[in-house]
């Protein structure tokens, strides 16, 4: 009798799971905020568009969040990793956390400084973080409290510097090649030039990148603010800003083959008035929907979250725009970090995840 009851329950649960659409990724966006502000992390469902209230927000005293400049969703553990720039910590939350939720754990380190973006690496055993506005540092994925680094790639500035790291602002991991992709900039006579640096994950110390993409042909603008890797398609996507001063800083999404190096032309470049991209921050790739999600108006202009088909090219309108006062995010503190994650409620059986 108990076996039959369990079988019936599992069958019912399976029906509920199967009713969930395949493309159900939520957009989770982080921002620079104020201490104890309730809306540091904002969440929207796939159905939401326009000037809408978020499906959920995360922030407040218990959350310990002061800002969220880097986000990474760990699908295996169903955890959300947050780089807290102002708080100088990395926090780990349950992916469904909302309101003034307490992190599952947090860590800091003398090597951390003000963290920017982050990503899990090495079969989820490590987390790589942009640290101290200059470097890329790796820590154990189990880190909690005050910890020491596993290894670090230092700034390339100064005599004898080889890494080319100057002011990194984008980070992604390619598991197939076990490599870190880092977005940065190089100082030029007439301004800055964006570049993409590729390091073996195990790089430690003053070591030159395995390869890099840089030059007038690349279309990488003045600096790179976000990177996403699509290993299935063999592509890498970079969020870039074409100018770094004044109002109306124009943004773009630049696409390269994952094998690219040197001063090469991109496969595609999404840019122009129809895109509405300006002063862009991070971007994420949603493999379920085949879309790129990017934070626009991160520093100047109207904050918005915009999505584009992964194969889009040129001056094209976004598929979806989320923006306006109802979102709770208005200038000058726009969204910077973005990631995609699971829907807030995974099951409708009454046995929801906490």
């Amino acid at each position: 009798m108990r076996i039959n009851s369990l079988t019936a329950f599992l069958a019912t649960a399976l029906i509920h799971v199967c009713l969930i659409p395949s493309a159900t990724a939520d957009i989770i966006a982080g921002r620079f905020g104020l201490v104890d502000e309730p809306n540091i992390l904002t969440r929207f469902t796939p159905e939401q568009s326009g000037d809408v209230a978020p499906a959920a927000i995360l922030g407040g005293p218990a959350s310990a969040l002061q800002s969220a400049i880097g986000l990474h969703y760990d699908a295996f553990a169903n955890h959300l990793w947050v780089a807290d720039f102002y708080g100088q910590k990395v926090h780990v939350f349950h992916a469904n956390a909302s309101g003034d939720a307490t992190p599952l754990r947090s860590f800091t380190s003398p090597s951390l400084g003000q963290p920017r973006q982050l990503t899990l690496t090495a079969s989820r055993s490590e987390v790589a973080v942009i640290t101290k506005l200059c470097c890329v540092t790796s820590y154990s994925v189990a880190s909690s409290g005050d910890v020491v680094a596993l290894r670090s790639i230092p700034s390339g500035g100064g005599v004898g510097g080889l890494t080319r790291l100057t002011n990194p602002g984008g980070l992604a991991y390619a598991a197939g090649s076990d490599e870190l992709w880092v977005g940065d900039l190089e100082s030029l006579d007439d301004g800055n030039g964006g570049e993409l640096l590729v390091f073996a994950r195990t790089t430690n110390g003053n070591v030159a990148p395995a390869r890099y993409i840089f030059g007038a042909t690349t279309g990488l603008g003045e600096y790179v603010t976000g990177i996403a890797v699509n290993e299935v398609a063999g592509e890498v996507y970079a969020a870039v800003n074409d100018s770094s001063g004044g109002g109306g800083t124009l943004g773009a999404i630049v696409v390269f083959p994952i094998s690219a190096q040197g001063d090469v032309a991109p496969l595609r470049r999404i840019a122009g008035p129809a895109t509405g991209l300006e002063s862009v921050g991070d971007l994420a790739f949603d493999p379920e929907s085949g879309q790129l999600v990017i934070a626009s108006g991160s520093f100047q202009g109207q904050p918005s979250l915009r999505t584009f088909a992964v194969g889009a090219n040129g001056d094209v309108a976004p598929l979806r725009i989320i923006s306006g006062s109802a979102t709770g995010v208005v200038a000058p503190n726009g969204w910077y970090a973005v990631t995609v994650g699971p829907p807030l409620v995974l099951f409708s059986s009454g046995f929801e995840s906490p």
Side-chain angles (χ1 to χ4, degrees):
M1 183 68 177
R2 292 178 60 190
I3 294 177
N4 290 338
S5 298
L6 178 60
T7 302
F9 167 75
L10 291 175
T12 302
L14 181 61
I15 290 171
H16 285 299
V17 172
C18 291
L19 288 176
I20 298 173
S22 59
T24 54
D26 288 355
I27 296 174
I28 306 171
R31 59 195 292 256
F32 291 98
L34 301 172
V35 176
D36 298 343
E37 190 169 350
N39 188 353
I40 300 296
L41 285 171
T42 317
R43 189 170 192 142
F44 298 95
T45 67
E47 297 78 23
Q48 291 186 289
S49 185
D51 186 5
V52 293
I57 57 175
L58 174 61
S63 76
L65 287 171
Q66 295 186 41
S67 56
I69 190 174
L71 296 173
H72 178 85
Y73 170 60
D74 176 9
F76 184 87
N78 204 29
H79 288 166
L80 182 66
W81 289 70
V82 184
D84 187 344
F85 184 87
Y86 289 137
Q88 299 190 37
K89 289 184 178 180
V90 171
H91 305 285
V92 184
F93 291 90
H94 191 283
N96 285 340
S98 62
D100 192 10
T102 303
L104 299 173
R105 66 182 185 279
S106 304
F107 75 84
T108 188
S109 173
S111 60
L112 191 66
Q114 293 176 308
R116 283 181 173 169
Q117 295 182 26
L118 75 175
T119 182
L120 296 194
T121 68
S123 299
R124 302 178 51 259
S125 66
E126 298 178 4
V127 57
V129 188
I130 294 177
T131 57
K132 291 189 171 182
L133 312 183
C134 68
C135 315
V136 178
T137 308
S138 294
Y139 305 89
S140 167
V141 78
S143 293
S144 182
D146 196 352
V147 301
V148 297
L150 298 173
R151 71 187 74 85
S152 188
I153 309 172
S155 170
V159 178
L162 299 176
T163 68
R164 296 180 68 96
L165 291 175
T166 302
N167 189 16
L171 184 64
Y173 176 61
S177 58
D178 198 22
E179 291 177 321
L180 290 167
W181 283 78
V182 186
D184 210 321
L185 58 84
E186 283 288 316
S187 296
L188 304 173
D189 291 339
D190 56 350
N192 297 320
E195 70 176 343
L196 297 173
L197 310 174
V198 185
F199 296 92
R201 174 188 56 83
T202 54
T203 301
N204 190 30
N206 183 28
V207 179
R211 63 188 184 281
Y212 60 87
I213 302 172
F214 172 71
T217 309
T218 66
L220 285 172
E222 290 204 350
Y223 54 106
V224 178
T225 54
I227 305 174
V229 171
N230 178 357
E231 292 190 83
V232 174
E235 295 181 341
V236 60
Y237 315 107
V240 308
N241 284 291
D242 284 339
S243 59
S244 57
T249 300
L250 299 179
I253 299 172
V254 189
V255 185
F256 294 94
I258 205 167
S259 59
Q261 60 181 317
D263 186 7
V264 295
L267 294 173
R268 302 182 297 280
R269 195 172 196 270
I270 304 170
T275 69
L277 293 174
E278 58 175 342
S279 185
V280 297
D282 195 14
L283 88 166
F285 169 59
D286 177 8
E288 291 291 330
S289 65
Q291 294 180 15
L292 296 167
V293 184
I294 188 168
S296 181
S298 299
F299 310 105
Q300 301 164 339
Q302 177 62 38
S304 66
L305 300 171
R306 294 169 181 259
T307 68
F308 296 87
V310 72
N313 189 29
D315 189 10
V316 295
L319 299 174
R320 179 163 57 135
I321 301 172
I322 299 172
S323 181
S325 59
T327 68
V329 176
V330 295
N333 293 319
W335 293 290
Y336 184 90
V338 292
T339 191
V340 292
L344 278 174
V345 179
L346 294 177
F347 300 97
S348 56
S349 62
F351 289 83
E352 285 81 6
S353 301

